[in-house]
Amino acid sequence: MAASALASRALQPPPRRRHCSPASPPRARPATAATPSPRRRGRVSVRRQAVAADERSAGPAFPEGQNRALSGAVERPEADVVVIGSGLGGLCCAGLLARYGQDVLVLESHDRPGGAAHSFDIKGFNFDSGPSLFSGFQSRGPQANPLAQVLDALGESVPCASYDSWMVYVPEGQFLSRIGPTDFLKDLEAFVGMDAVQEWKKLLDAVIPISAAAMALPPLSIRGDWGVLSTAAGRYAPSLFKSFLEMGPQGALGATKLLRPFSEIVDSLELKNPFVRNWIDLLCFLLAGVKSDGALSAEMILMVRTNGSSLPSASKPSYAMATVYMFAEWYKPGCMLEYPLGGSGAIIDALVRGIEKFGGRLTLRSHVEKILIENGRAVGVKLQSGQVVRAKKAVVSNASMWDTLDLLPPNVVPKTYEDKVKATPQCESFMHLHLGFDAENAREDLGIHHIVVNDWNKGVDGEQNVVLISVPSVLVKGLAPPGKHILHAYTPGTEPFSLWEGLDRKSAEYRRLKEERSEVMWKAVELALGPRFSREKCDVKMVGTPLTHKRFLRRNRGTYGPAIKAGEATFPGQATPIPQLFCCGDSTFPGIGVPAVAASGAIVANTLVPVSQHSELLDAVGI
């Protein structure tokens, strides 16, 4: 499960250092019918403001009472499409719309784009606020990561460092888990026993034949209208048919379970080994926010093909459309995991470059207060400053389903729709710990990713039981001052918002609760970093809470997103009951996680242009 909160009191970081590899410059495509010539309508101006960490106060991003800090003026308050929010989904949507030749304007409340995926700098330590596990940036073709496909369409690239393992700390012991099914079987034999190996092989034998069906349809081909019959069904029908033929009758029967809970497949195989069952639950939870009885079979099948492991900050889509592309990469010979040389913020930089390259606009400090509805249609937005921004064709919300509902005037959507949104279960929130420290205070063989499970009996979704840790500076030295490391630890969507609701962030009670609830992360960090690590010697120490999550990301109750269980409900599509109002991001199909939200943004962009333009793009990107 990806961490998606800014776990600090710094929302206005100084500029990130750009890490552009001379050997890997951004790719530029020649202008063709499918590649409009880049248009310059004006570049985004990102305010560069240094912010110091203040451990004594969890003060707001902007001074209390100074709402004008959120009220940047939009120079040309009109566009074909207005996108609310600059998270990954919104930026992918805007980037493709700009490439399609649409006049697109992204309105971001904060002074820095990226939402949960941006980076921030404190005292020279460049931290990720959210995702830190990535794969597939170099992939191409129909089975590539959706985010990689969007970047390719924009002629942008993200140089990365590569690696192939992570550390696991479970009640049975600790081991270095490696990419690839063969190596994972060796780990199972060494740390659990041959019984676990045989059961894992049994699981692989069952899911590999039907995984092709989950990989045959690229999400970039999907759109939200009947044109999908041409861009997806018609275009990829031969490959789908071929995959079903290659499965045989038994595999085809198993493929019918792709949209059912993964536990149904596990139970049908009569898997009994406690570690295997616990491991599957852990993977489901990290990937989908629910255990195996709620995780979709399609996404788990593609994950199991790799080595049965999900890493700290793993992207976690809830449907096969997005999961396939990340985990299919892991199964290839010589597969590697990747980390952007500039941190997760480098991905945001690349998307913004792509938007601007094709004439799109991004305006910061432009807080949307209301979505404007006229004659039953979405026609624009009203900013907190009072300025009105008109949308000729559509408004796209990259906010959560609950927050989007709050932006609408009363009684403009059917009560059944409103009630369904309000009744949708939510993932819990997070505790975060960001540290900057001397490299000499950690073990010499420190790896980039670590996962700690304290007690299987508490359940992987139990409070304070699982901690994920990322130390990307072991691979990319420029993220921290010389001789230093950065670290991000968090509890993955298991921190109850109810514990924090109503607390005054300046109160002694709030500070006490922060100290109490962060202790499990400190202990996990001490386990991962070794005996030389000292809390007192850290240069930077920041603890984030569900209130931090709610405040900085404008997230209802600080949630990570919808907790929708397979077999009980499905993620909604991108359309809404209001004509010309669309949604993208983790509240829509395919679900939560980096590949999923990239796909959701692409689906909206595709829906807003003719089928002919969409098909030309697929041809140009080579899928």
Side-chain angles (χ1 to χ4, degrees):
M1 175 182 287
S4 51
L6 173 59
S8 74
R9 289 166 300 287
L11 192 59
Q12 309 168 54
R16 293 180 296 274
R17 302 196 258 317
R18 293 189 185 272
H19 297 267
C20 296
S21 169
S24 303
R27 299 180 301 281
R29 290 185 177 275
T32 65
T35 311
S37 299
R39 297 168 290 134
R40 296 284 184 179
R41 290 198 184 101
R43 297 184 58 82
V44 61
S45 175
V46 180
R47 289 190 60 176
R48 314 295 191 185
Q49 182 175 355
V51 175
D54 179 4
E55 286 302 307
R56 294 170 298 173
S57 169
F62 304 103
E64 298 284 3
Q66 295 188 19
N67 290 336
R68 63 182 180 275
L70 294 178
S71 304
V74 178
E75 292 182 3
R76 186 161 53 85
E78 184 181 72
D80 292 333
V81 181
V82 171
V83 178
I84 303 170
S86 66
L88 280 170
L91 292 179
C92 286
C93 178
L96 289 181
L97 284 170
R99 191 184 189 281
Y100 281 133
Q102 301 295 306
D103 178 13
V104 60
L105 170 63
V106 182
L107 299 173
E108 170 56 46
S109 177
H110 296 179
D111 73 340
R112 178 148 293 244
H118 77 270
S119 299
F120 62 96
D121 188 289
I122 298 293
K123 298 181 180 180
F125 294 89
N126 191 30
F127 294 102
D128 286 336
S129 60
S132 59
L133 171 75
F134 302 96
S135 178
F137 280 117
Q138 312 310 318
S139 62
R140 298 294 180 270
Q143 297 178 4
N145 187 315
L147 178 57
Q149 291 179 342
V150 171
L151 288 168
D152 199 34
L154 298 178
E156 294 293 335
S157 63
V158 179
C160 296
S162 299
Y163 61 102
D164 64 358
S165 61
W166 62 95
M167 280 300 301
V168 176
Y169 306 83
V170 291
E172 290 84 354
Q174 61 186 55
F175 60 92
L176 185 69
S177 183
R178 295 159 291 178
I179 295 297
T182 301
D183 284 334
F184 184 66
L185 290 176
K186 293 178 181 177
D187 293 335
L188 279 178
E189 182 177 359
F191 292 96
V192 185
M194 282 304 300
D195 176 58
V197 172
Q198 294 303 320
E199 289 201 359
W200 199 261
K201 285 182 177 179
K202 190 176 182 180
L203 183 61
L204 290 176
D205 290 342
V207 302
I208 287 177
I210 62 177
S211 63
M215 298 174 63
L217 194 65
L220 212 61
S221 70
I222 305 298
R223 51 190 293 127
D225 57 21
W226 288 108
V228 72
L229 295 176
S230 172
T231 60
R235 189 181 186 98
Y236 300 101
S239 60
L240 281 166
F241 182 67
K242 180 181 178 181
S243 67
F244 274 96
L245 284 179
E246 291 175 348
M247 286 181 203
Q250 189 65 29
L253 179 63
T256 63
K257 298 180 179 179
L258 285 173
L259 299 182
R260 298 295 302 164
F262 191 62
S263 60
E264 293 186 7
I265 290 181
V266 174
D267 291 340
S268 69
L269 296 173
E270 298 182 343
L271 304 185
K272 304 294 185 183
N273 183 277
F275 179 86
V276 170
R277 299 290 303 219
N278 285 328
W279 191 253
I280 290 171
D281 267 347
L282 176 64
L283 301 180
C284 289
F285 182 70
L286 295 178
L287 183 68
V290 291
K291 296 192 292 187
S292 60
D293 60 355
L296 200 69
S297 292
E299 63 178 333
M300 292 308 301
I301 282 168
L302 271 297
M303 180 203 56
V304 168
R305 285 187 53 174
T306 63
N307 68 353
S309 298
S310 180
L311 299 188
S313 299
S315 310
K316 47 164 265 188
S318 292
Y319 287 84
M321 288 295 178
T323 312
V324 165
Y325 305 94
M326 183 173 73
F327 286 107
E329 281 289 315
W330 294 13
Y331 192 61
K332 293 178 179 179
C335 60
M336 301 290 284
L337 295 170
E338 299 165 328
Y339 183 80
L341 295 185
S344 63
I347 302 170
I348 304 306
D349 291 341
L351 289 170
V352 171
R353 287 196 305 267
I355 291 170
E356 293 178 337
K357 180 191 303 180
F358 291 100
R361 294 174 286 155
L362 167 66
T363 301
L364 304 173
R365 293 181 177 269
S366 299
H367 184 69
V368 173
E369 188 173 73
K370 287 294 179 184
I371 296 173
L372 300 179
I373 308 297
E374 295 178 1
N375 299 318
R377 310 176 76 84
V379 297
V381 300
K382 180 182 178 182
L383 303 184
Q384 191 177 64
S385 64
Q387 185 179 25
V388 170
V389 181
R390 291 283 174 175
K392 299 177 185 177
K393 296 182 179 180
V395 174
V396 180
S397 176
N398 190 204
S400 76
M401 61 170 68
W402 305 282
D403 296 295
T404 299
L405 192 63
D406 288 341
L407 293 175
L408 292 171
N411 306 318
V412 297
V413 294
K415 189 174 187 304
T416 53
Y417 178 85
E418 181 178 347
D419 290 344
K420 184 176 180 180
V421 170
K422 291 180 177 179
T424 300
Q426 296 181 341
C427 294
E428 290 288 6
S429 194
F430 299 82
M431 289 297 298
H432 289 264
L433 180 64
H434 282 89
L435 302 176
F437 58 93
D438 198 310
E440 292 185 354
N441 294 335
R443 63 175 83 248
E444 293 180 359
D445 59 348
L446 183 64
I448 179 173
H449 287 300
H450 309 256
I451 178 169
V452 179
V453 180
N454 292 311
D455 186 349
W456 291 123
N457 293 325
K458 291 183 178 179
V460 295
D461 54 353
E463 294 179 27
Q464 304 262 292
N465 193 34
V466 176
V467 178
L468 308 180
I469 300 170
S470 175
V471 194
S473 53
V474 302
L475 290 182
V476 183
K477 301 303 180 185
L479 297 175
K484 305 288 185 177
H485 278 315
I486 57 171
L487 181 147
H488 177 202
Y490 61 94
T491 56
T494 58
E495 183 67 11
F497 184 78
S498 59
L499 293 178
W500 303 83
E501 192 167 15
L503 287 181
D504 181 350
R505 290 180 284 103
K506 298 179 181 180
S507 68
E509 183 183 5
Y510 179 73
R511 291 194 296 271
R512 177 196 60 76
L513 193 59
K514 281 179 68 174
E515 182 176 354
E516 174 187 319
R517 301 296 287 184
S518 64
E519 182 64 21
V520 66
M521 297 184 294
W522 280 109
K523 289 182 177 178
V525 167
E526 289 168 343
L527 175 63
L529 268 55
R532 293 191 299 187
F533 174 74
S534 171
R535 304 184 189 188
E536 289 70 26
K537 293 182 180 179
C538 290
D539 299 291
V540 174
K541 293 185 287 187
M542 296 179 293
V543 175
T545 74
L547 297 185
T548 314
H549 209 285
K550 176 184 177 181
R551 186 168 83 261
F552 284 142
L553 295 184
R554 309 285 194 264
R555 298 289 290 192
N556 182 274
R557 296 180 62 83
T559 182
Y560 184 55
I564 295 177
K565 288 188 174 184
E568 295 183 6
T570 60
F571 275 84
Q574 283 70 31
T576 73
I578 301 176
Q580 297 182 187
L581 176 61
F582 296 82
C583 295
C584 66
D586 57 23
S587 287
T588 66
F589 175 87
I592 298 174
V594 172
V597 298
S600 75
I603 291 170
V604 175
N606 296 337
T607 304
L608 292 174
V609 300
V611 169
S612 59
Q613 270 191 290
H614 186 185
S615 297
E616 288 172 355
L617 176 67
L618 296 175
D619 290 336
V621 182
I623 60 174

Coordinates of all heavy atoms in Angstrom, one line a residue, residues 257-300:
K257 N -12.8 -16.3 -12.5 CA -12.7 -15.9 -11.1 C -11.9 -14.6 -11.0 O -11.6 -14.2 -9.8 CB -12.1 -17.0 -10.2 CG -12.9 -18.3 -10.2 CD -12.2 -19.3 -9.3 CE -13.0 -20.6 -9.2 NZ -12.3 -21.6 -8.4
L258 N -11.5 -14.0 -12.1 CA -10.6 -12.8 -12.0 C -11.3 -11.7 -11.2 O -10.6 -10.9 -10.6 CB -10.3 -12.4 -13.4 CG -9.2 -13.2 -14.2 CD1 -9.1 -12.7 -15.6 CD2 -7.9 -13.1 -13.4
L259 N -12.6 -11.6 -11.3 CA -13.3 -10.5 -10.6 C -13.9 -10.9 -9.3 O -14.8 -10.3 -8.8 CB -14.4 -9.9 -11.5 CG -13.8 -9.3 -12.9 CD1 -15.0 -8.7 -13.7 CD2 -12.8 -8.2 -12.6
R260 N -13.5 -12.1 -8.8 CA -13.9 -12.6 -7.5 C -12.8 -12.4 -6.5 O -11.6 -12.2 -6.8 CB -14.3 -14.0 -7.6 CG -15.4 -14.3 -8.6 CD -16.7 -13.7 -8.1 NE -17.1 -14.2 -6.8 CZ -18.0 -13.6 -6.0 NH1 -18.6 -12.5 -6.3 NH2 -18.2 -14.1 -4.8
P261 N -13.1 -12.5 -5.2 CA -12.1 -12.4 -4.1 C -11.0 -13.4 -4.3 O -11.3 -14.6 -4.7 CB -12.9 -12.6 -2.8 CG -14.2 -12.2 -3.1 CD -14.5 -12.6 -4.6
F262 N -9.8 -13.1 -4.1 CA -8.6 -14.0 -4.3 C -8.7 -15.2 -3.3 O -8.2 -16.2 -3.6 CB -7.3 -13.2 -4.1 CG -6.1 -14.0 -4.5 CD1 -5.9 -14.4 -5.8 CD2 -5.1 -14.3 -3.5 CE1 -4.8 -15.1 -6.2 CE2 -4.0 -15.0 -3.9 CZ -3.9 -15.4 -5.2
S263 N -9.4 -15.0 -2.2 CA -9.5 -16.1 -1.2 C -10.2 -17.3 -1.8 O -10.0 -18.4 -1.3 CB -10.2 -15.6 0.1 OG -11.5 -15.1 -0.2
E264 N -11.1 -17.0 -2.8 CA -11.8 -18.1 -3.4 C -10.8 -19.1 -4.1 O -11.0 -20.3 -4.1 CB -12.9 -17.6 -4.3 CG -14.0 -16.9 -3.6 CD -15.1 -16.5 -4.5 OE1 -15.1 -16.9 -5.7 OE2 -16.1 -15.8 -4.0
I265 N -9.8 -18.5 -4.8 CA -8.8 -19.3 -5.4 C -8.0 -20.0 -4.4 O -7.7 -21.2 -4.5 CB -8.0 -18.5 -6.4 CG1 -8.8 -18.0 -7.6 CG2 -6.7 -19.2 -6.8 CD1 -8.1 -17.2 -8.6
V266 N -7.6 -19.3 -3.4 CA -6.7 -19.9 -2.3 C -7.4 -21.1 -1.6 O -6.9 -22.1 -1.4 CB -6.3 -18.8 -1.3 CG1 -5.6 -19.4 -0.1 CG2 -5.5 -17.7 -1.9
D267 N -8.7 -20.9 -1.3 CA -9.5 -21.9 -0.6 C -9.7 -23.1 -1.5 O -9.6 -24.3 -1.1 CB -10.8 -21.4 -0.2 CG -10.7 -20.4 0.9 OD1 -9.7 -20.3 1.6 OD2 -11.7 -19.6 1.1
S268 N -9.9 -22.9 -2.8 CA -10.1 -24.0 -3.8 C -8.9 -24.9 -3.9 O -9.0 -26.0 -4.2 CB -10.6 -23.5 -5.1 OG -9.5 -22.8 -5.8
L269 N -7.7 -24.3 -3.7 CA -6.5 -25.0 -3.8 C -6.1 -25.7 -2.4 O -5.1 -26.5 -2.4 CB -5.3 -24.1 -4.2 CG -5.4 -23.5 -5.5 CD1 -4.3 -22.4 -5.7 CD2 -5.4 -24.5 -6.6
E270 N -6.9 -25.5 -1.4 CA -6.7 -26.1 -0.1 C -5.3 -25.8 0.5 O -4.6 -26.7 1.0 CB -7.0 -27.6 -0.1 CG -8.4 -27.9 -0.6 CD -8.7 -29.4 -0.6 OE1 -7.7 -30.2 -0.6 OE2 -9.8 -29.8 -0.6
L271 N -4.9 -24.5 0.4 CA -3.6 -24.1 0.9 C -3.7 -24.0 2.5 O -4.6 -23.3 3.0 CB -3.2 -22.8 0.3 CG -3.1 -22.8 -1.2 CD1 -2.5 -21.4 -1.6 CD2 -2.2 -23.9 -1.7
K272 N -2.9 -24.7 3.2 CA -3.0 -24.8 4.6 C -1.8 -24.2 5.4 O -2.0 -23.9 6.6 CB -3.1 -26.3 5.0 CG -4.3 -27.0 4.4 CD -5.6 -26.5 4.8 CE -6.8 -27.4 4.2 NZ -8.1 -26.8 4.5
N273 N -0.7 -24.1 4.8 CA 0.5 -23.6 5.5 C 0.3 -22.3 6.1 O -0.1 -21.3 5.4 CB 1.7 -23.6 4.6 CG 3.0 -23.2 5.3 OD1 3.3 -22.0 5.5 ND2 3.8 -24.2 5.7
P274 N 0.4 -22.1 7.4 CA 0.1 -20.8 8.1 C 0.9 -19.6 7.5 O 0.3 -18.6 7.3 CB 0.5 -21.0 9.5 CG 0.4 -22.5 9.7 CD 0.9 -23.1 8.4
F275 N 2.2 -19.9 7.2 CA 3.0 -18.8 6.6 C 2.5 -18.4 5.3 O 2.3 -17.2 5.0 CB 4.5 -19.1 6.5 CG 5.3 -18.0 6.0 CD1 5.8 -17.0 6.8 CD2 5.6 -17.9 4.6 CE1 6.6 -16.0 6.2 CE2 6.3 -16.9 4.1 CZ 6.8 -15.9 4.9
V276 N 2.2 -19.3 4.4 CA 1.7 -19.0 3.1 C 0.3 -18.2 3.2 O 0.1 -17.2 2.5 CB 1.5 -20.3 2.3 CG1 0.7 -20.0 1.0 CG2 2.8 -20.9 2.0
R277 N -0.6 -18.7 4.1 CA -1.8 -18.0 4.2 C -1.6 -16.5 4.7 O -2.2 -15.6 4.3 CB -2.8 -18.7 5.2 CG -3.1 -20.1 4.7 CD -4.1 -20.2 3.5 NE -5.3 -19.4 3.7 CZ -6.5 -19.8 3.3 NH1 -6.6 -21.0 2.6 NH2 -7.6 -19.1 3.5
N278 N -0.7 -16.4 5.7 CA -0.5 -15.1 6.3 C 0.2 -14.2 5.2 O -0.1 -13.0 5.1 CB 0.5 -15.2 7.5 CG -0.3 -15.7 8.7 OD1 -1.4 -15.4 8.9 ND2 0.4 -16.4 9.6
W279 N 1.1 -14.8 4.5 CA 1.8 -14.0 3.4 C 0.9 -13.5 2.4 O 1.0 -12.4 1.9 CB 2.9 -14.9 2.8 CG 3.9 -14.1 2.0 CD1 4.0 -14.2 0.6 CD2 4.9 -13.2 2.4 NE1 5.0 -13.4 0.2 CE2 5.6 -12.8 1.2 CE3 5.3 -12.8 3.6 CZ2 6.7 -11.9 1.3 CZ3 6.4 -11.9 3.7 CH2 7.0 -11.5 2.5
I280 N 0.0 -14.4 2.0 CA -1.0 -14.0 1.0 C -1.9 -12.8 1.5 O -2.2 -11.9 0.8 CB -1.9 -15.2 0.6 CG1 -1.1 -16.2 -0.2 CG2 -3.1 -14.7 -0.2 CD1 -1.8 -17.5 -0.5
D281 N -2.3 -12.9 2.8 CA -3.1 -11.8 3.4 C -2.3 -10.5 3.4 O -2.9 -9.5 3.1 CB -3.6 -12.2 4.8 CG -4.9 -12.9 4.8 OD1 -5.6 -12.8 3.8 OD2 -5.3 -13.4 5.8
L282 N -1.0 -10.7 3.7 CA -0.2 -9.5 3.8 C -0.1 -8.8 2.4 O -0.2 -7.6 2.3 CB 1.2 -9.8 4.3 CG 2.2 -8.7 4.3 CD1 1.8 -7.6 5.3 CD2 3.6 -9.2 4.7
L283 N 0.1 -9.7 1.4 CA 0.3 -9.1 0.0 C -1.0 -8.5 -0.4 O -1.0 -7.4 -1.0 CB 0.7 -10.3 -0.9 CG 2.0 -11.0 -0.6 CD1 2.2 -12.1 -1.7 CD2 3.1 -10.1 -0.6
C284 N -2.1 -9.1 -0.1 CA -3.4 -8.5 -0.5 C -3.6 -7.2 0.2 O -4.1 -6.2 -0.5 CB -4.5 -9.5 -0.2 SG -4.6 -10.9 -1.1
F285 N -3.3 -7.1 1.4 CA -3.5 -5.9 2.2 C -2.6 -4.7 1.7 O -3.0 -3.6 1.5 CB -3.2 -6.1 3.7 CG -3.5 -4.9 4.5 CD1 -4.8 -4.4 4.7 CD2 -2.4 -4.2 5.1 CE1 -5.0 -3.3 5.4 CE2 -2.7 -3.1 5.9 CZ -4.0 -2.6 6.0
L286 N -1.3 -5.1 1.4 CA -0.4 -4.0 0.9 C -0.8 -3.6 -0.5 O -0.6 -2.4 -0.8 CB 1.1 -4.6 0.9 CG 1.6 -4.9 2.3 CD1 3.0 -5.5 2.2 CD2 1.6 -3.7 3.2
L287 N -1.3 -4.5 -1.2 CA -1.6 -4.2 -2.6 C -3.0 -3.5 -2.8 O -3.1 -2.5 -3.5 CB -1.6 -5.4 -3.5 CG -1.9 -5.3 -5.0 CD1 -0.7 -4.5 -5.6 CD2 -2.1 -6.6 -5.6
A288 N -4.0 -4.0 -2.0 CA -5.3 -3.5 -2.2 C -6.0 -2.9 -1.0 O -7.1 -2.5 -1.1 CB -6.2 -4.7 -2.7
G289 N -5.3 -2.9 0.1 CA -5.9 -2.3 1.3 C -6.9 -3.2 2.0 O -7.5 -2.8 3.0
V290 N -7.1 -4.5 1.5 CA -7.9 -5.5 2.1 C -7.2 -6.8 2.1 O -6.3 -7.0 1.3 CB -9.3 -5.6 1.4 CG1 -10.1 -4.3 1.6 CG2 -9.1 -5.8 -0.1
K291 N -7.7 -7.7 2.9 CA -7.1 -9.0 3.0 C -7.6 -9.9 1.8 O -8.4 -9.4 1.0 CB -7.3 -9.7 4.3 CG -6.6 -9.0 5.5 CD -6.6 -9.8 6.8 CE -8.0 -10.0 7.3 NZ -8.0 -10.6 8.7
S292 N -7.2 -11.1 1.7 CA -7.5 -12.0 0.5 C -9.0 -12.2 0.3 O -9.4 -12.4 -0.8 CB -6.8 -13.3 0.7 OG -7.2 -14.0 1.8
D293 N -9.8 -12.0 1.4 CA -11.2 -12.2 1.2 C -11.9 -11.0 0.6 O -13.1 -11.0 0.2 CB -11.9 -12.6 2.5 CG -11.7 -11.5 3.6 OD1 -11.0 -10.5 3.3 OD2 -12.3 -11.6 4.7
G294 N -11.1 -9.9 0.4 CA -11.6 -8.7 -0.3 C -10.8 -8.3 -1.5 O -11.3 -7.4 -2.2
A295 N -9.7 -8.9 -1.7 CA -8.8 -8.5 -2.8 C -9.2 -9.1 -4.1 O -9.6 -10.3 -4.1 CB -7.3 -8.8 -2.5
L296 N -9.2 -8.4 -5.2 CA -9.6 -8.9 -6.5 C -8.6 -10.0 -6.9 O -7.4 -9.7 -6.9 CB -9.7 -7.8 -7.5 CG -10.5 -8.0 -8.7 CD1 -12.0 -8.1 -8.4 CD2 -10.2 -6.8 -9.7
S297 N -9.1 -11.1 -7.4 CA -8.2 -12.2 -7.9 C -7.3 -11.7 -9.0 O -6.1 -12.1 -9.1 CB -9.0 -13.4 -8.4 OG -9.7 -14.0 -7.3
A298 N -7.8 -10.9 -9.9 CA -7.0 -10.5 -11.1 C -5.7 -9.8 -10.6 O -4.6 -10.1 -11.1 CB -7.8 -9.5 -12.0
E299 N -5.8 -8.9 -9.7 CA -4.6 -8.2 -9.3 C -3.6 -9.1 -8.5 O -2.4 -9.0 -8.7 CB -4.9 -6.9 -8.4 CG -5.6 -7.2 -7.1 CD -5.8 -5.9 -6.3 OE1 -5.1 -5.0 -6.5 OE2 -6.8 -5.9 -5.6
M300 N -4.1 -10.0 -7.7 CA -3.3 -10.8 -6.9 C -2.6 -11.8 -7.8 O -1.4 -12.2 -7.6 CB -4.1 -11.6 -5.8 CG -4.6 -10.7 -4.7 SD -3.3 -9.7 -4.0 CE -2.2 -10.9 -3.4

